[in-house]
Amino acid sequence: MAMQKYSVFSLIKNAFKGHKDWEVAWKDPTPKAEYDVIIIGGGGHGLATAYYLAKEHNITKVAIIEKGWIGGGNVGRNTTIIRSNYMHDENGLFSEFGMDLWRNMSLDLNFNVMFSPRGIINLAHSDAQMNAYSRRGNSMRLNGIDAVLLNREEVKKIIPMADFSENVRFPIFGGLMQPSAGTARHDAVAWGYARQADSMGVDIIQNCEVTGFDVSNGKILGIRTSKGEIKAKKIGLCVAGSTNVLAEKLNMTLPIETHLLQACVSEPIKPILDNVVTFGAGHFYCSQSDKGEMVMGGDLDGYNSYAQRGNLPTLQHVLTEGIAMFPFLSKLKMLRTWGGIMDMSMDGSPIIDKTHIEGLYLNCGWCYGGFKATPASGWTFAHTIAQDKPHKLNEGYSLNRFSTGHLIDEKGLGTKTWIS
Amino acid sequence: MTSISALNYVHKTGLFGNYENKNEENLLKVTEIKNLLIVQIVQYKNSTIQFENIDIDSLKLTNEPLSVAHNSNTRILWNGPKNWLLVSTKKDLLKNISEVFKETDFAVTDLSHSRAIIELEGTEAKEVLKKGCPFNFNILQKNNSVNSTYNGIAFTADMLDDNPNKIRLFALRSFGESLYHSITDASLEFGFKAF
Amino acid sequence: MPENFRLDQGGLINRNKKISFTFNGKKYFGYEGDTLASALLANGVHLVGRSFKYHRPRGFFGAGVDEPYAIVQMNRNNEVDPNVRATEQELFEGLDAKSVNCWPNVNFDIGAINNFLNKFFPAGFYYKTFMWPKSFWYKIYEPIIRKAAGFGSASIKHDKERYEHKYEYCDLLIAGTGPSGLASAYAAAKNGAKVILAEDKSRYGGSLLTSEVTIGNQSGQEWAEQIISELKSMPNVIVKNRSQVFGYYDHNMLVMSERVSDHLPKTDKYTPKQRLWYIRAEEVVISSGSIERPLVFGNNDAPGVMLSSAAKEYLKIYGVLVGKKPIIFTNNDSGYETAIEFKKIGVDPIVLDTRKDPNSEIIKEAKELNINIKFSYVVVAAKGYKKVKSADIAKISDDKKVLSNNENIKCDCICVSGFWTPTIHLASQSGNKTKFKEEIDAFVPSHSKQKETTLGSANGIFTLEETLKTSFEKGTELSKQITNKENQISIPTVVEKKSSKHDKFWCVPLPEGKNYKRFLDFQNDVAVSDIQLALREGYRSIEHVKRYTTLGMATDQGKTSNLNGLQLVSEVENKVVPQVGHTTFRPPYTPVTIGAIVGREVGKHSKPTRKSPMHYWHEKNNAVFVDAGVWLRPRYYKQGNENLFEASKREAKNVRQNVGVCDVTTLGKIDIKGPDSAEFLNRVYTNAWLKLPVGKARYGVMLREDGIVMDDGTTTRISENHYHMTTTTAQAPNVLSHLEYYLQLVWPELNVNVVSSTEQWAGAAIAGPKSRDVLQKLFPDLDVSNEGLPFMGYMEGNLFGVNAKIFRISFSGELAYEVNVESDNGNYMWEKIIEIGKEFNIQPYGTEALSTLRIEMGHVAGSELDGRTIPYDNSLEGLVSKKKDFIGKRSLSKKAYVEPDRQKVVGVVPLDKKTSIPEGSYIVKDAKAKLPNPKLGHVSASCWSVEYDNPFSLAIIKDGKNMIGQKLFAMSPLKNKTIPVEIVSSHYVDPKGERVRS
Amino acid sequence: MLYILCPHCGLRPQTEFSYGGDATVKRPELNKEISDQDWDNFVYLRKSPRGKHLELWQHISGCRQWIKVERDTLTHEIFTTYKASENT
């Protein structure tokens, strides 16, 4: 049966029927005995992978296995920022491919994910930093990604509420802007993918925990779950934050540490900030949601953690930089805080690759950058699984780059992942 | 004048903050301390010398956290395992004791110029420290010292007295002005007199 | 004139002090001790704001932290406070507040059109529309939605208020001063424990202030007052009001915000507006009480519908009537307390009790007072838009499904009581997995994860007698573990009339043919129908329901809505509530001012500033400073109208031609001592160190274990077992930790001590062909000839009375020396150098000239050692020993690191010898290639070569070794520049390094 | 803010410490032949368990000693702390 279409007309029609005729966005099936592909992890990346497997590769005998509820991981606990302002070619080209998917996502999924290209500005507080941003921005431009270098006056015109006063520790010198970057409604991304994947035959199985893997002769055969054993020809791991926990069940050790990142929002206020802005003399970023909340984030808590709860000194540190950038934040009230657990890879870039186990594929190591990568990650991971080889866009995201030395280190911090 | 102390340009004498209608005697007192001998003494891991037997200005080294061996001129602050910070008004103390510390057993490093020093005195002195340092100052008594951080600046607090509190604060010299700002800013609520 | 709703007497307000205030531009009067809410209610003002989505009129629902409606914008102390809860804001003279989220005003709000269209705006409607055409979302729809959302408006002015922090430690932190908090605090304090007792409100006592109970021979209120005054007199107790414990973090650290000055018209000059307390407690008692639950019925959001406990609080504490014709709608005995209070002051309430035939002392009392009670009755719907005017009421069947005997009765307020929800937030934040307690239809704490105990109604105990008994006992028990004392406290007798039973009814069914909105979340306009829709559409997990409908996501964070939402989900889904589970509680319990979280580290002091001993000389001599980490360094010394480019060129040129002096104090210095120092250095650096003679310096490079260059610098052997290491400014702290790591953990057998001596020494680099002349005059007694002090030599000297260390090392590529003196003498040294150098035309130079000098010499620095390069990339492979092992060596054999076309540092010169190449440009073969244009590498550093008077840059490019002589392009699309360039050697000036040895 | 028992100084607030990561990786001995795989294991691979984790902290603003801390990565509870020289 064709999927019910969302539109202003269907909304009006249903309004007159008391909204009784809306169909479920996704079903709640019991798992089948066997699938062509099982995707473990019902987050953004997993749902997107399933969708593109069905849509681009016509593989529909697919199950998504989710321990809790779909969208409950990092896709539901991020700061909704979407960008492709990367210096390294691998990251830039991959992310820019994703930007195209973002731009078309609402129509493609028939679900308004509220992609809003409001522009991201990275503030610079020294000439050295302006030069570093030039290096990044020029690389973007040569890769066909939009980027603009702003001087102090230009920044002031766009965000006059930033601290341009005398009483400032790190004055604003200028900034790098990606005008096409922006935000999207995070939950909607998960739900939109889920709804489409479901309509194409993908089984979304929630509250189902993977307890083990069935591997024989170096080949994956299936998984054991809290809802029984399920066989599959191919299995994709898409469980950012929990990758190491599942890797342990597979006797794999990965170049990944698990860390905690907090974010918070203020109480809603009337619109004051249109762009996404990052502070250059530290690590703070901020945007204003459609609801009016200032959405803010910054540093990792700085030690391995699986607790989705952080500590206040980290937020204090983050918000100190927040006020240093936007003094007006001082009078607002912090309404809600949350924490997400990140796969921090040893060079800060992700891994989308096959593994030494035949039929087992890995998608992990997204560090702080997972949300923005959702569509491109799903697209390339689906390709990698379907074709049994990486797409050109994710060739650089190989697992063996740590052995060969072909690292993709945007920050130059090496393996000390907790220094953010 | 050849010598310029760490806080020379920021430390101004006078009355500051909420001092009005208060007896000057009860105000916090803030002083910059200069011209102290400050030496780090570390015994190497493999050294077999009994440090307990060493005599410095009639003081003995003890390997106890928070401890300060002290007399009226010299204070030896425990800095870490077999690691001490000797602070003395006797500027030439080092010369007399250099033979005691054999080069193969001890590293003795003069750090006299590497610190900015603030002395803070008054019943509210600990309250000032509690504003920026998460250490439990309730347990710090006379002749205790601690290394910790104040508003993100590493510092050492040495309790010269606890009735009223008299605390000597050391920070790395280049951070001195920032620490001085933090301490005096935190003192404004109580009112202070700078000497 | 507005009608007066203030009683002639009663309440805890100070009637001797009348206070004037302004709301929405209109002047009113209240009393000291009022909240803004109570004062407005006293003046008959029930309409304060508009809801988030439908812009429906909103009044007051509660009387404290749980208030979901009454958010106002305030001007206080000449500053704007955007979102202030009127129920928490204490009244002060001149208070000025206005409504938010309404335009043009709260009485007539254009946004309310949403309300009439609300059938088109069900939960999640925005996900289903506004998709086409694709740019319209961002350009058209979203801006409209953004404007309609949000509450108050922020001022972009800097916040002038002070916010302070305080770190405190105690044996027991007790959050809440209701009966359980007071009893446990009293018992613990009597046992000698150090206690901090925190109360959110201005008055201590919690429910005791409004309940008609007797403890011993005192009223509840008298008892509370007595306990508090006794606690205040004890030296081991800190009692704080206006202090909300809002977060329970790891290792028993809790955070409390104290509103020091918010209740005053002005903050005293040196007093904080708020103070954030970080409290590390041995044990925590959570006595945070409970919040009354609403009953859900049609239009239950109309102004005038409020919690029955709030109505009672307004009466008993503020002497304010929330209405003169009240309906009390209850499913438990609490409603009777409110009814009796009304009756006592001569107002006749009607009680609608959902129960059929309940029995208790308090109901008996109500009957004796001739209160009109209708059992098995419910409010079906409130009538009235901006204020309740009447209520449709009906009899409800025993199975609570069928309504009958419908009638409409006049009323001006409806006080609801749907029983009580324990405030379990802090316990949950601590990691306590809460459990559902069937008999109270709510969650209570279960096993403690940290050292926390929840008492009283927060723990689901609703009888005073049991609360006091358990709280006294717990207070004794917890403190006894800490103080080893056991002071027995006799537990007083208690008289309480109400029973703690309730009817498990919470939502009135819709009468046939009616389609009332029945609200769960009042601020976000989430109605029963929204939840039903979410469930119908498959959003079935409670988290999905929350996110899809925004239930519980308002600024009250669901304090009054969450549990009713859960009830509804469990009903529709046919599950029991514990299966549905609640969403996670996260700090803060209630919104906390961001300024308070940050404290005093704002403006100029948001980070520390490090200064060299010569800083003020630089300042006096027109230095323009640059941030190097948190250090301030002179970037250039401005003469006349010079700009950066001109000044730095002058300074650099003067070094090449005469002599310059540069403050190098900020370079990291590490004092290394011990018998194994040489061996240690040999392991740390890539080159050989065992044979460095005493009195000699050597340049060294250290790697991370992954083979990437970590830092470089020179290290000098001062004596047999003593070395003086220098590091870059940026890496100094990391290098020290790195060394300590290897000494303490990896090679503990080495007898070496490392200590930072950066601050002990002030450093000046004297560079240029005439530097030896300057040095000779500084140290007339020393032989500083090329033989006496050769390149990389070291000696000690006396600089006009102060001790100095002299290193013959060079960063500029010129003949150069570095002189160190003890920091107190730094300025003295500097002035001497300037004075003596005058005849040799000495000039100070800043980091910009320093940079020029090193770039044209091809010396790599931070922009090349950027955490991504190996020694080869920086042409440092000559310093990599093949013979010995060192940190990171094993990584250098990685495939990528030995590829024949590996990147390498080169020099870049524009063909026109005129056009400067912006740093961060890329080198490409074909400037017109289609994008993505393959890059050979990037330009890491650029300068104007003062030697050749043309631009020169360093670049790190692929196969750099074989690229020299090639003609390529440098591109900076950001600056719209494409510059034809030639690749040359990175050693542009003095490639053989003759000058440094001259 | 974690409260970490420094085996040299006593219980101290987290702000005095800096984190040093997994304490179980062991640096291969100097001058020893070692496979690429073993070297990569040391440099890049991490178990990062959910639960008990032995990790390094440096008491950087205290006694400057590196210490080993056994901590639960899910609850953040600290079980035991060790001096650098102590075996775990």
Side-chain angles (χ1 to χ4, degrees), chain C residues 6-73:
Chain C
R6 182 86 65 182
L7 300 171
D8 293 338
Q9 54 185 15
L12 305 175
I13 48 169
N14 177 8
R15 289 176 186 266
N16 294 322
K17 194 157 177 215
K18 209 169 173 184
I19 285 175
S20 75
F21 68 101
T22 313
F23 183 66
N24 284 334
K26 205 167 158 188
K27 197 166 175 185
Y28 298 95
F29 291 95
Y31 292 108
E32 187 178 79
D34 260 327
T35 61
L36 176 57
S38 66
L40 284 170
L41 285 167
N43 286 282
V45 178
H46 274 263
L47 178 62
V48 277
R50 294 281 174 155
S51 69
F52 202 84
K53 187 166 153 192
Y54 299 139
H55 287 243
R56 288 164 71 100
R58 290 288 183 255
F60 301 96
F61 193 71
V65 67
D66 50 332
E67 173 62 43
Y69 296 158
I71 287 168
V72 298
Q73 172 121 352

Side-chain angles (χ1 to χ4, degrees), chain B residues 68-137:
Chain B
V68 179
H70 57 93
N71 60 35
S72 55
N73 296 312
T74 304
R75 301 178 65 81
I76 305 175
L77 283 53
W78 183 87
N79 217 12
K82 294 197 203 174
N83 182 331
W84 299 270
L85 196 71
L86 179 150
V87 180
S88 179
T89 53
K90 293 183 177 170
K91 293 277 279 182
D92 52 1
L93 190 59
L94 187 66
K95 286 175 189 129
N96 306 331
I97 61 173
S98 57
E99 282 157 35
V100 182
F101 297 108
K102 272 178 42 195
E103 224 182 64
T104 45
D105 290 283
F106 290 92
V108 178
T109 310
D110 183 5
L111 298 172
S112 303
H113 290 258
S114 69
R115 299 290 195 275
I117 309 165
I118 304 166
E119 222 162 78
L120 185 65
E121 186 179 355
T123 48
E124 308 284 4
K126 276 187 178 178
E127 290 301 309
V128 170
L129 298 187
K130 285 179 182 180
K131 289 189 184 190
C133 176
F135 178 76
N136 182 5
F137 283 99

Side-chain angles (χ1 to χ4, degrees), chain C residues 183-209:
Chain C
S184 55
Y186 188 77
K190 283 281 177 193
N191 256 353
K194 188 175 172 237
V195 172
I196 298 178
L197 178 61
E199 170 57 47
D200 168 34
K201 295 198 165 185
S202 62
R203 296 177 183 85
Y204 303 100
S207 62
L208 293 173
L209 297 179

Side-chain angles (χ1 to χ4, degrees), chain C residues 107-123:
Chain C
N107 261 307
F108 178 74
D109 176 20
I110 293 283
I113 194 157
N114 290 358
N115 186 37
F116 298 102
L117 297 173
N118 75 53
K119 82 161 98 171
F120 302 108
F121 303 147

Side-chain angles (χ1 to χ4, degrees), chain A residues 265 269 273 287-295, chain C residues 142 146 149:
Chain A
V265 294
I269 53 165
L273 176 67
S287 65
Q288 187 171 18
S289 74
D290 287 348
K291 210 176 162 187
E293 298 167 338
M294 305 304 298
V295 185
Chain C
E142 194 183 36
R146 281 171 89 82

Side-chain angles (χ1 to χ4, degrees), chain C residues 832-852:
Chain C
K832 279 286 171 202
I833 294 170
I834 295 287
E835 181 190 321
I836 277 175
K838 211 169 254 171
E839 62 173 293
F840 307 104
N841 292 322
I842 200 165
Q843 287 182 15
Y845 63 101
T847 55
E848 199 67 22
L850 184 73
S851 191
T852 295

Side-chain angles (χ1 to χ4, degrees), chain D residues 25-55:
Chain D
V25 289
K26 220 171 160 50
R27 192 191 191 283
E29 278 174 48
L30 282 172
N31 299 309
K32 203 175 162 190
E33 283 288 314
I34 171 176
S35 70
D36 288 350
Q37 186 59 56
D38 283 347
W39 180 255
D40 290 340
N41 286 352
F42 158 64
V43 178
Y44 291 114
L45 299 196
R46 303 284 184 268
K47 285 241 183 306
S48 195
R50 177 159 64 191
K52 277 190 181 175
H53 184 238
L54 190 70
E55 60 201 21

Side-chain angles (χ1 to χ4, degrees), chain A residues 331 333, chain C residues 22 36 72-84 88-98 153 155 157-163 242 258-269 271-275 593:
Chain A
K331 273 281 199 292
K333 295 188 189 78
Chain C
T22 313
L36 176 57
V72 298
Q73 172 121 352
M74 259 181 59
N75 282 307
R76 180 186 159 277
N77 212 13
N78 292 321
E79 303 228 352
V80 171
D81 265 333
N83 293 345
V84 173
E88 292 192 288
Q89 178 60 50
E90 292 172 55
L91 203 63
F92 53 75
E93 182 61 41
L95 186 150
D96 179 13
K98 63 178 185 196
S153 303
S155 155
K157 267 181 29 190
H158 288 214
D159 191 346
K160 295 282 187 313
E161 302 271 10
R162 289 175 71 91
Y163 300 90
R242 302 185 178 100
E258 180 191 0
R259 301 183 303 277
V260 183
S261 309
D262 283 329
H263 62 294
L264 303 168
K266 231 172 124 334
T267 314
D268 288 340
K269 195 167 173 198
T271 306
K273 176 177 158 78
Q274 295 178 9
R275 192 191 311 273
T593 308

